[in-house]
Amino acid sequence: MCGFVGAFDLQSGSSPIGEGLKEELRAQVLAMSKKIRHRGPDWSGVYTGNNAILSHERLSIVDPLSGKQPLVSDDEKIILAANGEIYNHKEIRSQFQGKYNFRTGSDCEVIIPLYKKFRESGDFTAMIEQLSGIFAFALYDSENDVYLIARDEIGVIPLYQGWDKNGRYYVASELKALEGDCQTIEEFPNGQYFYSKDEKPTRWYKREWESFDAVKNAPKATDEKGEIINPSVIEKVRNGLESAVRAQLMSDVPYGVLLSGGLDSSIIAAVTQKFSKKRIETDSKEAAWWPRLHSFAVGLEGSPDLIAAQKAADYIGTVHHEVHFTIQEALDALPDVIYHIETYDITTVRASTPMYLLARVIKSMGIKMVLSGEGSDELFGGYLYFHKAPNAQEFHEELVRKMSKLHLYDCLRANKSLMAWGVEGRVPFLDKDFIDVAMGLNPSDKMNIKLPDGKQRMEKWILRKAFEDLLPEDICWRQKEQFSDGVGYSWIDTLKKMTEEKVSDAEFARRENRFPVNPPKTKEEYYYREIYSSLFPSDSAAKCVPHEAGVACSTAKALEWDAAWKNMDEPSGRAIAGVHDKAYK
């Protein structure tokens, strides 16, 4: 994982660009790229052409010795700057044996021969569908003076686009690289590509499961009483996730796992441990270079996550590291956190702060990549508000909405909090093939149905059942705890109290004058918005942040499920009365 900046359409319809302006723009792009060097502290590279400049900041995970970027094709006519990982690069390489001369061992280089194969037909959807991984890339075809920009299906990897006063087009891995140089900035849409011969981006990622009709009659694992009638459905979940984890263990540097002690991270840690003894790059024919798996947890002293994480680590057998932080340390870090995550969204700021502090410790220990459990709640309905879903269709359609917004919340947090310190995060739950498995399940198998004893089935039941043999019982069946809650309840409680005191009633009353774009809905949001605006003052930057009401991480649409939520706007899981064990009174 890395960071890049690309500048295109340098001539902007005028006469050919002169050497003086080219050097000026090159210096500008290098300055923009320097702002995201935290994403790629291992190497910097730049390509300068007559109508494109690509700058790249590298974090070397695969092929550290020869994989520096921008990558150049074997005929030196195609230039590529990529951010991310292509997990099936070996399979793609085999397609081009004897047809393309690979110049590096980089997993991302396979994008170049794929482009060559599909550029004549222009079927870039078919091209990108062949990629299994997390990615954002900018490719420039100098022979034809065209470029192709693309982003992965979920938006695990961040990407922004912008236009300067002369109409030149820019893309960058983080918003901060564009702020101040572009008059207009937007997030590049996930699951889409932009080919410069087209007028607008094209959506390449489409799935049948987006419609409830496509899944409502899928085979069921259980009957109406919750009894298992089709264990093969559960086995499919198990096998799909294990395959995803194994594929994502490719690494030429030390890696670890994030372990909060919750279900999702514990499953990822347990499955990683299962494969960590062998090097998957050689199909498990040789021992791993780093045979002991290290796990990391963060929290306030005595927090729920730290206690659960230690129990899970002891059972799984990882070398476990507990990172403690104080509330004051976290408060002091808020401006730096908001600078790196580029959002003022409440739940993202709350959760990003401990993760940001954790990432610094991980990097200090020489770990450059970690696997994490993001995405599970969106695939299986893990958030506690899903208990109130009125029927299978509403349940499934909310999952689809949540999946479409992951790039704005959890993926953004995980990527930018970790990459602030040059640590790559991988998310096996969001593997493209596993998404199809999970979202293709019959929604009734994921719902929190009423059981014969009158109790409600636990959230993510089918996932828990698939992996119950790998975890301690009280970890496997631990209630969903959102990360910002699990690090210690006093963290959120302090933030709410502190921001209530810091933002006066008079300031808050004038919020629409102070922030006409997305006026803050609470004093806590106002406080974060003040910090954000001092760092990213443009209206375009403000519009890049999501702004909708919700409860316990729900979408606004799901507020219709419970009349008590009508006037609520609280992302903590403790907002769900009658479900969360420590719900707000």
Side-chain angles (χ1 to χ4, degrees):
M1 202 170 292
C2 313
F4 66 83
V5 175
F8 303 94
D9 302 329
L10 303 186
Q11 299 175 52
S12 298
S14 61
S15 57
I17 189 170
E19 288 301 315
L21 180 56
K22 185 190 293 186
E23 284 303 309
E24 181 182 326
L25 288 171
R26 184 179 189 274
Q28 175 188 319
V29 169
L30 287 174
M32 297 165 76
S33 188
K34 188 176 181 180
K35 294 179 183 178
I36 57 172
R37 190 155 293 161
H38 52 274
R39 296 186 65 88
D42 296 336
W43 196 265
S44 299
V46 63
Y47 161 83
T48 308
N50 288 329
N51 212 17
I53 300 172
L54 291 171
S55 180
H56 190 270
E57 307 294 339
R58 187 180 187 218
L59 178 67
S60 53
I61 304 293
V62 175
D63 186 27
L65 297 180
S66 70
K68 59 188 179 183
Q69 298 191 37
L71 296 162
V72 180
S73 62
D74 54 357
D75 60 7
E76 301 192 347
K77 294 178 180 178
I78 297 170
I79 300 90
L80 172 72
N83 173 13
E85 305 290 345
I86 307 302
Y87 301 125
N88 64 334
H89 71 106
K90 284 196 168 186
E91 291 88 340
I92 297 175
R93 278 174 179 263
S94 66
Q95 296 179 29
F96 296 100
Q97 192 168 6
K99 301 175 185 177
Y100 177 85
N101 297 315
F102 285 92
R103 306 177 76 172
T104 74
S106 169
D107 53 293
C108 292
E109 191 180 354
V110 298
I111 294 171
I112 295 176
L114 277 176
Y115 168 78
K116 281 189 167 188
K117 177 181 177 180
F118 287 96
R119 67 179 166 183
E120 187 173 338
S121 68
D123 189 359
F124 297 118
T125 291
M127 168 198 159
I128 301 169
E129 274 286 4
Q130 290 203 20
L131 301 174
S132 176
I134 49 177
F135 56 84
F137 67 79
L139 181 149
Y140 179 60
D141 181 343
S142 63
E143 183 179 25
N144 297 297
D145 190 27
V146 293
Y147 52 88
L148 176 67
I149 317 296
R151 190 178 182 193
D152 69 64
E153 58 272 13
I154 299 301
V156 175
I157 302 299
L159 186 63
Y160 295 83
Q161 59 186 348
W163 295 262
D164 71 9
K165 61 183 179 182
N166 295 305
R168 298 186 184 93
Y169 178 61
Y170 298 79
V171 290
S173 297
E174 293 188 2
L175 182 151
K176 59 180 63 67
L178 304 179
E179 180 77 350
D181 288 293
C182 292
Q183 290 190 318
T184 303
I185 302 170
E186 299 173 354
E187 185 172 12
F188 190 92
N190 59 298
Q192 298 193 28
Y193 71 81
F194 176 54
Y195 183 50
S196 56
K197 286 187 176 181
D198 298 336
E199 293 183 357
K200 59 183 180 180
T202 299
R203 187 181 179 205
W204 66 265
Y205 184 66
K206 299 177 182 179
R207 290 296 186 269
E208 289 185 358
W209 51 251
E210 293 177 273
S211 167
F212 174 69
D213 288 341
V215 300
K216 65 181 181 182
N217 295 318
K220 292 183 180 181
T222 63
D223 59 20
E224 289 73 13
K225 297 179 181 179
E227 298 292 332
I228 297 173
I229 56 173
N230 193 351
S232 65
V233 176
I234 301 172
E235 290 169 11
K236 190 176 181 180
V237 172
R238 167 83 171 237
N239 295 337
L241 187 58
E242 288 194 347
S243 295
V245 171
R246 186 182 186 280
Q248 296 191 20
L249 291 182
M250 67 172 199
S251 175
D252 294 328
V253 299
Y255 64 82
V257 291
L258 301 184
L259 181 57
S260 70
L263 175 70
D264 309 327
S265 66
S266 297
I267 288 175
I268 296 301
V271 177
T272 301
Q273 178 74 308
K274 180 177 178 178
F275 295 117
S276 65
K277 298 293 186 290
K278 297 289 185 178
R279 186 163 162 76
I280 67 103
E281 289 83 352
T282 56
D283 294 323
S284 301
K285 293 176 182 176
E286 64 175 291
W289 290 355
W290 297 277
R292 299 198 71 189
L293 181 64
H294 291 246
S295 58
F296 299 87
V298 64
L300 300 169
E301 193 81 44
S303 70
D305 276 3
L306 290 182
I307 296 168
Q310 186 64 63
K311 184 174 292 185
D314 290 342
Y315 191 90
I316 295 167
T318 59
V319 182
H320 189 60
H321 307 278
E322 248 186 36
V323 177
H324 299 159
F325 71 93
T326 66
I327 289 178
Q328 189 59 56
E329 286 171 334
L331 293 175
D332 291 342
L334 281 174
D336 288 336
V337 171
I338 291 172
Y339 173 74
H340 280 288
I341 65 175
E342 302 176 324
T343 184
Y344 47 83
D345 172 69
I346 290 177
T347 189
T348 307
V349 174
R350 288 175 176 179
S352 295
T353 305
M355 183 171 268
Y356 171 87
L357 297 172
L358 175 63
R360 190 171 192 177
V361 176
I362 292 172
K363 184 58 178 287
S364 73
M365 295 183 62
I367 302 289
K368 297 180 73 173
M369 183 271 280
V370 291
L371 285 84
S372 184
E374 270 74 28
S376 172
D377 292 314
E378 287 74 14
L379 291 171
F380 292 96
Y383 294 109
L384 298 186
Y385 75 90
F386 274 98
H387 280 259
K388 303 293 182 80
N391 53 57
Q393 182 167 350
E394 286 280 348
F395 185 97
H396 181 75
E397 290 177 353
E398 175 70 359
L399 289 182
V400 174
R401 286 191 292 269
K402 288 293 292 180
M403 291 295 291
S404 73
K405 297 173 183 289
L406 259 172
H407 65 289
L408 300 171
Y409 300 102
D410 287 25
C411 288
L412 179 150
R413 166 182 54 79
N415 182 277
K416 292 181 181 178
S417 298
L418 294 170
M419 289 298 285
W421 299 106
V423 177
E424 175 182 291
R426 296 185 184 176
V427 283
F429 277 107
L430 297 178
D431 172 87
K432 187 165 63 173
D433 290 338
F434 185 69
I435 290 172
D436 289 342
V437 169
M439 291 300 290
L441 294 172
N442 192 302
S444 65
D445 279 336
K446 295 190 278 188
M447 289 187 70
N448 317 109
I449 63 173
K450 289 284 186 182
L451 299 175
D453 62 4
K455 294 181 180 178
Q456 199 164 14
R457 188 165 66 183
M458 201 168 198
E459 65 278 356
K460 294 186 287 194
W461 173 88
I462 193 168
L463 182 64
R464 298 174 192 273
K465 197 68 182 173
F467 291 95
E468 63 181 346
D469 62 312
L470 292 186
L471 301 173
E473 184 177 1
D474 53 349
I475 296 298
C476 184
W477 300 97
R478 182 188 176 199
Q479 185 180 59
K480 164 66 184 174
E481 194 75 90
Q482 288 169 212
F483 183 63
S484 52
D485 285 319
V487 297
Y489 296 148
S490 57
W491 167 232
I492 289 179
D493 296 343
T494 298
L495 284 173
K496 294 170 74 171
K497 182 175 184 294
M498 181 270 290
T499 53
E500 183 68 31
E501 295 170 352
K502 291 277 189 181
V503 179
S504 70
D505 292 342
E507 286 176 313
F508 190 64
R510 295 192 298 268
R511 61 190 181 278
E512 293 187 3
N513 295 327
R514 175 73 179 87
F515 301 112
V517 175
N518 294 344
K521 299 186 291 293
T522 67
K523 287 188 175 181
E524 185 179 357
E525 185 183 357
Y526 188 107
Y527 184 82
Y528 303 150
R529 183 65 178 278
E530 282 279 19
I531 298 172
Y532 182 89
S533 296
S534 70
L535 299 166
F536 310 108
S538 71
D539 285 350
S540 279
K543 291 175 182 177
C544 286
V545 178
H547 196 254
E548 69 171 328
V551 59
C553 292
S554 77
T555 67
K557 175 69 174 173
L559 293 177
E560 299 172 4
W561 294 353
D562 191 322
W565 297 346
K566 185 177 180 181
N567 297 314
M568 291 185 70
D569 189 10
E570 172 51 60
S572 168
R574 288 182 287 159
I576 308 301
V579 177
H580 195 289
D581 292 338
K582 305 288 185 181
Y584 293 124
K585 301 297 184 185

